[in-house]
Amino acid sequence: MSHHNTNTAADDNSFHPLGQLGWNSRVEAAFETVAPGSEHALYPARVTEARRGSVGLRMPQHETAKLSPRVRKAAEADHSTAPTSGDWVAVRRSGDAWLVEAVLDRAGTLVRQGVAKDSHDQVLAANIDAVLICEAADQGPNVGRLERFLSLAWASGATPVVAVTKAELAGDRLPEVVELVETVTTGADVHTVSAHTGLGLAELAARLRPGSTWVLLGTSGAGKSSLLNALAGDTVMDTGEIRDDRRGRHTTTHRQLIPMPGGALFLDIPGVRRIDVPGDGSGVDRTFADIGELAERCRFRDCSHGAEPGCAVNAAVDEGELDTRRLERWYRLRREAEWNRSRGDARLRAERRKEWKRNDRVGREAARLKRGF
Ligand SMILES: Nc1nc2c(ncn2[C@@H]2O[C@H](COP(=O)(O)OP(=O)(O)OP(=O)(O)O)[C@@H](O)[C@H]2O)c(=O)[nH]1
Ligand SMILES: [Mg+2]
Ligand SMILES: [Zn+2]
């Protein structure tokens, strides 16, 4: 069993008014870095949903806040700095409205790589402790997709947990499905659940510690919202019939942070179809830790697992311990992570160039004004 380590007994926040929302000493310290220097009285709040130019908050009562000009401008320049679900923010009163003055330092962010040429990464969720990856038992499983979700989750810094959902629909195939899932989930616990029959719910619920923040990840129709409702014992999210996963067919349409009866928080997000592995390859490395361990036993430090003698990776393939298809997917995801990193670097370079040009222009303008012509 792997466990995330926030909110230990030494960090008991159940007495704090924001404790129900995941307030802890780390967040408190982050708040202390912005609060004292401000000319306004600032209050901490947690973002439950992000909208255009505003956010839904809990502090702990429900409020809506607009973004201050500074936060808005920063978000326009780099969308990944915009307050997102799960973020802790500092707000102030302005007339009869609330204004977000600062987004506090984040821990554990689920980041989706920008897919368009010049697009920024999208922060799907901030300050998360665990990622619950949902894969329906009756549709596969799709191991390649699971590996992508796992790479994304590991890169977030949070603990991935896998839920094989709709277990009762797999019938006799269930053991086979779970076994297949377990061949690709090195280091992550797998729970077999059914929102309809209640299978495995108590075991999963036992892992949801008060004040911890979980995010649900899976394709549309994987049963994320249904699982959430079943764990809550109540309808907290709408669920929908499975459609053919075309555009605009998602039942959950926006991200929302939902407190659960046991004190954990869940972020339900719309199904994700396309997962680009993050340029930071650490997520891929963790996902394929089994192959990484083999590679350490290769005779040569820089073994390419090609035709070299003493290659432990190839030996494992020969002995039937490692599936060549998994090995190929590892190569592919590593290449993709590298490509995404270089693309991110290229975008950063282009932006920096733009910034220099702008500064240049501003400098020339200032010099011109000084000269008086
Ligand atoms: N038989 C069975 N059906 C389930 C189970 N869990 C969910 N479903 C069905 O699967 C469909 C999709 O479920 P949702 O919970 O809406 O899926 P979702 O992952 O939230 O989908 P999006 O919000 O579109 O991302 C619904 O018709 C559910 O009734 C289950 O345990 N058993
Ligand atoms: Mg949903
Ligand atoms: Zn090798």
Side-chain angles (χ1 to χ4, degrees):
M1 278 258 185
S2 46
H3 291 282
H4 40 282
N5 55 11
T6 57
N7 261 13
T8 53
D11 191 13
D12 179 6
N13 300 289
S14 50
F15 58 87
H16 194 282
L18 292 170
Q20 306 291 323
L21 295 168
W23 180 263
N24 58 41
S25 50
R26 188 198 67 79
V27 181
E28 185 169 359
F31 182 66
E32 288 308 323
T33 64
V34 300
S38 170
E39 53 185 310
H40 308 284
L42 294 181
Y43 304 89
R46 192 154 197 204
V47 177
T48 64
E49 46 187 305
R51 310 182 193 115
R52 267 204 173 281
S54 75
V55 289
L57 301 171
R58 297 282 310 269
M59 50 186 302
Q61 78 279 12
H62 288 273
E63 298 286 354
T64 298
K66 289 202 194 104
L67 309 190
S68 71
R70 192 159 50 92
V71 171
R72 204 180 50 231
K73 260 186 221 130
E76 275 161 15
D78 180 354
H79 192 72
S80 67
T81 69
T84 189
S85 304
D87 258 326
W88 283 97
V89 292
V91 296
R92 73 172 172 96
R93 199 76 185 152
S94 166
D96 50 10
W98 288 103
L99 274 186
V100 176
E101 280 291 317
V103 178
L104 305 186
D105 273 350
R106 293 163 171 163
T109 42
L110 193 67
V111 179
R112 191 180 185 189
Q113 177 91 25
V115 280
K117 191 158 147 263
D118 55 354
S119 69
H120 285 274
D121 296 349
Q122 186 190 11
V123 183
L124 292 172
N127 304 312
I128 48 167
D129 300 298
V131 182
L132 188 57
I133 300 170
C134 297
E135 179 75 12
D138 63 329
Q139 289 171 348
N142 184 329
V143 286
R145 181 166 67 203
L146 264 172
E147 287 163 346
R148 280 172 184 273
F149 281 133
L150 282 161
S151 299
L152 195 69
W154 282 120
S156 76
T159 305
V161 176
V162 176
V164 177
T165 56
K166 311 190 193 184
E168 94 284 3
L169 291 183
D172 294 345
R173 276 197 64 229
L174 186 60
E176 189 191 318
V177 169
V178 174
E179 199 180 316
L180 193 51
V181 166
E182 282 174 342
T183 61
V184 299
T185 50
T186 312
D189 290 334
V190 178
H191 288 257
T192 305
V193 298
S194 167
H196 284 196
T197 69
L199 177 78
L201 295 182
E203 289 87 341
L204 185 53
R207 300 198 56 171
L208 311 177
R209 287 191 295 148
S212 62
T213 303
W214 290 64
V215 60
L216 288 154
L217 193 60
T219 52
S220 187
K224 300 180 293 298
S225 300
S226 303
L227 182 56
L228 193 48
N229 289 342
L231 287 168
D234 195 3
T235 305
V236 289
M237 289 302 294
D238 283 338
T239 61
E241 289 313 309
I242 312 170
R243 291 121 320 189
D244 43 12
D245 202 16
R246 277 196 219 111
R247 218 158 55 81
R249 287 312 193 80
H250 299 247
T251 303
T252 303
T253 54
H254 60 283
R255 290 170 272 160
Q256 219 175 318
L257 189 68
I258 298 145
M260 301 290 283
L265 295 126
F266 261 93
L267 193 56
D268 191 10
I269 65 181
V272 182
R273 250 173 312 171
R274 190 195 153 102
I275 300 291
D276 275 71
V277 295
D280 151 26
S282 68
V284 176
D285 290 347
R286 284 296 290 273
T287 302
F288 293 91
D290 50 340
I291 303 182
E293 265 167 41
L294 284 171
E296 276 182 14
R297 283 189 260 138
C298 293
R299 185 178 307 160
F300 301 111
R301 262 251 137 281
D302 59 349
C303 184
S304 67
H305 322 305
E308 291 103 326
C311 173
V313 174
N314 282 325
V317 170
D318 290 342
E319 279 152 34
E321 280 165 24
L322 175 63
D323 186 351
T324 45
R325 285 166 300 182
R326 179 159 163 87
L327 183 59
E328 276 156 23
R329 293 193 302 266
W330 178 55
Y331 283 132
R332 191 178 320 137
L333 288 196
R334 282 212 313 184
R335 265 202 310 276
E336 215 179 286
E338 217 156 278
W339 160 249
N340 283 337
R341 189 182 48 235
S342 65
R343 200 173 48 167
D345 289 349
R347 186 178 58 73
L348 273 181
R349 277 198 300 276
E351 255 159 35
R352 225 162 277 152
R353 229 171 3 245
K354 235 184 340 196
E355 176 89 356
W356 287 333
K357 274 192 190 153
R358 192 160 49 231
N359 288 347
D360 248 26
R361 207 161 46 234
V362 172
R364 278 201 304 273
E365 181 76 355
R368 190 181 65 80
L369 287 173
K370 226 156 124 192
R371 288 198 306 270
F373 55 85

